[in-house]
Amino acid sequence: MKNAFVFLATGFEEIETLGTVDLLRRGGIHVTMVSIMDTCEVIGTHNISVNADSLFKDVDFSLADALIIPGGIPGSNHLNDYVPLKELILQKEKEGVILAAICAGPMVLGGLGLLNGKKATCFPFFEPTMTGATPTGNGVEQDGNIITCKGPGFVFDFGLLIVRNLRGEETVNEVAAAVLAPGY
């Protein structure tokens, strides 16, 4: 079974996070929601409380197939400031793990230099934080093992692209049909 980890911090964007988790789980991917806070209960940017599955310090990331960074402010800023997450991302990038970020989340990858020379997208206001990237303005963009997304309106495309990378075309078509995803 493929394993994906979605990182939560106070002020995460709920649609981006939960929509992605839902699509991946429907696709048979084991998803762990990981809090970088001191508690598993994390409050989103629109005051929706979510219970993460685990605290960062308690997770074994050795079998990670994907690391997912949701947007939301100040959630993305908290993720960007969390050194253990940044160290994990750099380690997993060397292993070719899928690194996916949506909305403001690509700032984390840009700050680590992982977007240098790559096509990427994010919420337009945050394009300057995608250091070294070629911003495309597309809803979703994949360049190598990095997947970026413009924002919550593209969560179906984002989640389904991750499913496609981890489980293949047949599974993505099944999930898209089950949720009546537009364009599939």
Side-chain angles (χ1 to χ4, degrees):
M1 179 175 279
K2 298 292 185 175
N3 296 289
F5 297 89
V6 178
F7 299 95
L8 302 180
T10 301
F12 69 93
E13 212 307 320
E14 295 94 340
I15 291 173
E16 296 166 358
T17 304
L18 298 176
T20 301
V21 169
D22 182 280
L23 291 165
L24 271 61
R25 288 184 177 171
R26 287 174 189 256
I29 297 164
H30 182 264
V31 180
T32 303
M33 293 187 296
V34 180
S35 171
I36 68 158
M37 310 309 288
D38 293 331
T39 177
C40 281
E41 182 182 15
V42 185
I43 307 297
T45 192
H46 299 100
N47 293 317
I48 298 173
S49 175
V50 171
N51 285 314
D53 301 306
S54 299
L55 298 176
F56 189 95
K57 66 182 180 69
D58 297 330
V59 177
D60 175 6
F61 296 103
S62 62
L63 298 177
D65 297 295
L67 304 179
I68 302 166
I69 305 162
I73 296 297
S76 294
N77 292 329
H78 293 311
L79 295 175
N80 195 38
D81 291 339
Y82 193 64
V83 173
L85 173 60
K86 291 163 75 170
E87 291 171 346
L88 174 67
I89 291 168
L90 288 171
Q91 172 194 339
K92 292 301 178 182
E93 193 278 333
K94 291 176 186 166
E95 297 173 17
V97 166
I98 294 292
L99 304 176
I102 183 170
C103 195
M107 76 166 69
V108 179
L109 303 178
L112 292 170
L114 299 179
L115 298 180
N116 287 335
K118 296 196 179 270
K119 294 183 291 183
T121 192
C122 67
F123 194 84
F125 178 81
F126 294 98
E127 281 187 2
T129 69
M130 294 195 310
T131 307
T134 301
T136 66
N138 293 333
V140 177
E141 193 68 62
Q142 180 168 3
D143 194 332
N145 65 318
I146 295 179
I147 297 171
T148 52
C149 181
K150 197 170 191 172
F154 297 94
V155 73
F156 281 98
D157 296 323
F158 180 67
L160 292 171
L161 183 55
I162 297 168
V163 171
R164 177 177 283 122
N165 275 266
L166 297 181
R167 294 291 317 275
E169 200 65 31
E170 183 177 333
T171 301
V172 81
N173 288 334
E174 290 170 3
V175 173
V179 299
L180 304 177
Y184 289 87

